[in-house]
Amino acid sequence: MNRWLLFALLVSTCAAANARELRVCADPNNLPFSNEKREGFENAIVELLARDLDAKVEYVWWAQRRGALRNTLNAGRCDVVPGIASSMEMLATTRPYYRGTYMFVARRDSPWSRVATFDDPRLQKATIGVQLVGDDGANTPPAHSLARRGMVGNVRGFTVYGDYARPDPQAAIVDAVADRRVDIAVVWGPTAG
């Protein structure tokens, strides 16, 4: 074999072996976290990580719904899933890079804007928007807190996943506060922001 051809083959093989790819499973429509346009804060974190690893990012887009991990990470389709709760026992997670909580969301010009706890007596008379997961008892902490306080009749549910046909699927609960369909809402912090 020609030694130049052998050299070229060796260089191209080494280059291919050194090329890194970071395969990321993320939701294509889940702002403020991630989207296909790479506008979410998790997209930005992935880009920083890839730069540090000298890797090219390849996304596997999959809606963050039940079964997403089974169909992505556990199926070997990606190396990392940004934004997984650190309490996920089935996964090895990094140290948390942010902590979130639920926020009360109310119109600034409403009396509900001063509600700060679930024990505020004004909530007994309020129509309260709450993000709900499903009917299997795996609902959000605010749904459980309101139920324990006997306010189930006050609750208007909004799916935590939102209307996936919209570019901002989770915005419906905040929109309901803005257009006065609910007096106040309890919303996951990043979504509320």
Side-chain angles (χ1 to χ4, degrees):
M1 181 179 276
N2 179 319
R3 71 177 187 195
W4 292 110
L5 180 60
L6 181 59
F7 176 74
L9 183 61
L10 181 61
V11 167
S12 67
T13 302
C14 288
N18 289 333
R20 289 185 161 182
E21 179 180 275
L22 180 62
R23 298 175 308 148
V24 178
C25 287
D27 193 313
N29 188 18
N30 193 27
L31 288 177
F33 306 99
S34 64
N35 72 0
E36 278 184 299
K37 295 178 184 176
R38 301 181 182 198
E39 298 169 324
F41 72 84
E42 289 177 357
N43 298 114
I45 291 168
V46 163
E47 291 299 327
L48 290 171
L49 178 62
R51 188 176 67 208
D52 285 352
L53 294 172
D54 194 28
K56 178 183 173 198
V57 177
E58 291 295 328
Y59 277 98
V60 174
W61 299 111
W62 197 280
Q64 190 174 351
R65 303 283 193 269
R66 289 184 180 172
L69 288 175
R70 178 183 63 245
N71 291 300
T72 58
L73 187 68
N74 292 345
R77 298 181 69 192
C78 58
D79 305 310
V80 66
V81 178
I84 291 294
S86 62
S87 61
M88 296 283 293
E89 293 178 5
M90 69 166 114
L91 300 175
T93 61
T94 64
R95 190 175 70 217
Y97 54 86
Y98 80 93
R99 296 192 190 282
T101 186
Y102 288 86
M103 308 295 295
F104 286 106
V105 176
R107 293 176 57 89
R108 187 174 305 179
D109 60 351
S110 80
W112 311 107
S113 66
R114 292 180 297 281
V115 170
T117 73
F118 287 109
D119 294 319
D120 189 312
R122 291 176 288 184
L123 284 179
Q124 295 291 334
K125 298 176 186 151
T127 304
I128 308 165
V130 178
Q131 291 171 301
L132 302 173
V133 178
D135 59 2
D136 62 356
N139 270 315
T140 59
H144 290 287
S145 292
L146 291 166
R148 278 194 308 275
R149 289 166 174 81
M151 291 187 259
V152 174
N154 302 47
V155 169
R156 302 299 176 269
F158 294 82
T159 176
V160 73
Y161 302 120
D163 178 0
Y164 212 70
R166 291 177 56 165
D168 52 354
Q170 298 179 38
I173 190 168
V174 175
D175 292 345
V177 172
D179 65 22
R180 294 184 166 92
R181 284 180 285 139
V182 297
D183 298 317
I184 191 168
V186 188
V187 184
W188 174 237
T191 303

